[in-house]
Amino acid sequence: MPTGLKLVCFIGASLAIATTTTSLWQVISALTFVMTGYACAGLSARVLASQVVAARWIILFMLAPQLLFLPAIDAVTNTARVALIVILAALFTLTTRIPDLLDATERACAPFRRFGIRPEAVALVLALTITSIPVIAGFAATIRDAQRARGIPPHRLSFAVPLLIMSLKHADDLADAVSARGIEP
């Protein structure tokens, strides 16, 4: 499937999941849709399971506070919507080469050049965002492993502070790399 069409389908499916999935049956339907997408892409159930495991912290951090303030079914439905979109985004990134995505983004943004929007800058921001997500997830895994090795009990602050510092350092390194290549912001 051409990258541009795949991107439009991903955006459309994400919007449909976000706006129409309000009951448990609709969550099950959306889950079936996402699982079918993985199967059609030729990806195994193991790959799908690894994406669910990768999204576990998003699920946990979204579900826990909602369970305090919302009925359980609403909390589960809200969390499932976001988790399904994240897992669908993983399918998109697993099946799409970054250069193809950048080319499609530049072509899609070309009409906006007359309004002062630089398509190549939009594509660069998209590429940096996509490539930074697994890096930050890796930081999180490293921090958790280091804390476990030191016997530090899990706590939001002792996890969030090192993650924030590592993420900001990574962002600073990216900015230096972009600057060194002479790319204007």
Side-chain angles (χ1 to χ4, degrees):
M1 176 183 290
T3 304
L5 179 59
K6 193 186 307 184
L7 180 59
V8 168
C9 289
F10 163 68
I11 292 169
S14 296
L15 287 173
I17 290 170
T19 58
T20 64
T21 308
T22 57
S23 71
L24 190 57
W25 291 110
Q26 291 167 332
V27 168
I28 292 169
S29 297
L31 175 62
T32 303
F33 173 77
V34 171
M35 290 170 62
T36 303
Y38 273 78
C40 288
L43 299 172
S44 68
R46 180 175 288 156
V47 173
L48 175 60
S50 72
Q51 296 306 317
V52 172
V53 168
R56 71 186 179 276
W57 295 110
I58 295 170
I59 295 167
L60 178 68
F61 286 123
M62 281 196 65
L63 184 60
Q66 289 187 61
L67 285 172
L68 296 174
F69 301 106
L70 296 174
I73 192 71
D74 291 341
V76 168
T77 303
N78 290 340
T79 304
R81 276 196 305 249
V82 173
L84 286 169
I85 292 170
V86 167
I87 294 166
L88 190 61
L91 172 63
F92 178 76
T93 57
L94 286 169
T95 59
T96 307
R97 293 175 353 122
I98 296 294
D100 294 342
L101 178 59
L102 297 179
D103 291 342
T105 303
E106 282 189 43
R107 282 193 306 274
C109 293
F112 299 106
R113 187 179 295 278
R114 70 181 122 208
F115 301 113
I117 296 173
R118 295 189 348 242
E120 58 280 352
V122 173
L124 178 64
V125 168
L126 180 63
L128 290 176
T129 302
I130 289 171
T131 57
S132 292
I133 291 170
V135 171
I136 293 172
F139 292 160
T142 301
I143 291 165
R144 279 191 306 276
D145 291 344
Q147 288 177 338
R148 273 191 224 117
R150 292 184 183 100
I152 299 171
H155 188 269
R156 289 178 301 206
L157 194 57
S158 66
F159 175 77
V161 170
L163 182 62
L164 180 63
I165 291 169
M166 292 176 80
S167 299
L168 290 173
K169 170 82 171 86
H170 177 68
D172 193 43
D173 291 345
L174 277 176
D176 289 344
V178 167
S179 242
R181 286 168 179 76
I183 299 172
E184 295 177 24

